[in-house]
Amino acid sequence: FGHKRLSIIDLSDLGSQPMSTPNSSYQIIFNGEIYNFKEIRNDLEKLNYSFISQTDTEVLLNSYAEWGPDCVKRFKGMFAFAIFDQKKKTIFLCRDRAGEKPLYYSIHDGNLFFCSEIKPILNFEKKLNIIDSEAFSYLFDHGFTQRDKSIFKNIYKLKAGHSLTFNIQDR
């Protein structure tokens, strides 16, 4: 995982990403804000979770450790995130219900590429720089692309309120 962070809640290095659980079972990169993270943190503390930061990122990560993908049902906020699950050998991508935070992805040659914008994906894999003429035409007709498409053939937007699980072993 790679990540550039805009610090808002906890400005210390304790909020740096990618962030891992103490046992390194899970690792997260996260864009957004969980508005009710303090309530969720209290629930997790009652379940004997401890925290080293004041970040919503750490709360999100521990929520996944406790509740798995169902953790997103608890979140109120705007977010897009990816969690690497070391045990299951999966990457879990998720986007908030309103789709405020973008999340683009591509599966190319058995590899998962994802980012909050398209440019880094194109910089990493030049073969994905193929315009989808249908999506491009839709953009000009409507002023936006369809909910799950970008203007590139093999780069997609994760739909608002959706998730994707990528198995690293069988790709």
Side-chain angles (χ1 to χ4, degrees), residues 47-97:
L47 296 170
N48 295 319
Y49 282 84
S50 58
F51 296 84
I52 62 168
S53 76
Q54 297 302 312
T55 65
D56 50 354
T57 306
E58 189 177 15
V59 171
L60 196 161
L61 183 59
N62 283 319
S63 294
Y64 184 87
E66 180 63 29
W67 299 298
D70 283 342
C71 68
V72 298
K73 295 175 183 175
R74 298 170 180 267
F75 302 149
K76 295 176 185 166
M78 55 177 181
F79 53 84
F81 65 85
I83 294 179
F84 172 57
D85 185 326
Q86 179 70 29
K87 295 175 192 173
K88 293 181 182 176
K89 303 291 188 224
T90 59
I91 296 174
F92 178 71
L93 303 179
C94 187
R95 190 167 175 217
D96 66 85
R97 291 169 196 83

Side-chain angles (χ1 to χ4, degrees), residues 30-31 41 45 59-61 77 85 94 96 101 111 113 121-122 131 134 138-139 144 146 157-158 163 170:
F30 165 55
N31 178 19
R41 180 182 172 133
E45 287 173 334
V59 171
L60 196 161
L61 183 59
D85 185 326
C94 187
D96 66 85
K101 294 295 179 181
N111 295 305
F113 301 93
I121 296 173
L122 294 174
I131 299 293
E134 185 179 308
Y138 190 94
L139 172 65
F144 55 90
Q146 294 156 310
K157 285 188 287 190
L158 189 61
S163 63
D170 65 17

Side-chain angles (χ1 to χ4, degrees), residues 3-11 15 17 30-32 101:
H3 181 78
K4 286 193 176 185
R5 178 177 180 229
L6 171 63
S7 303
I8 295 173
I9 294 174
D10 182 337
L11 306 180
Q17 296 183 44
F30 165 55
N31 178 19
K101 294 295 179 181

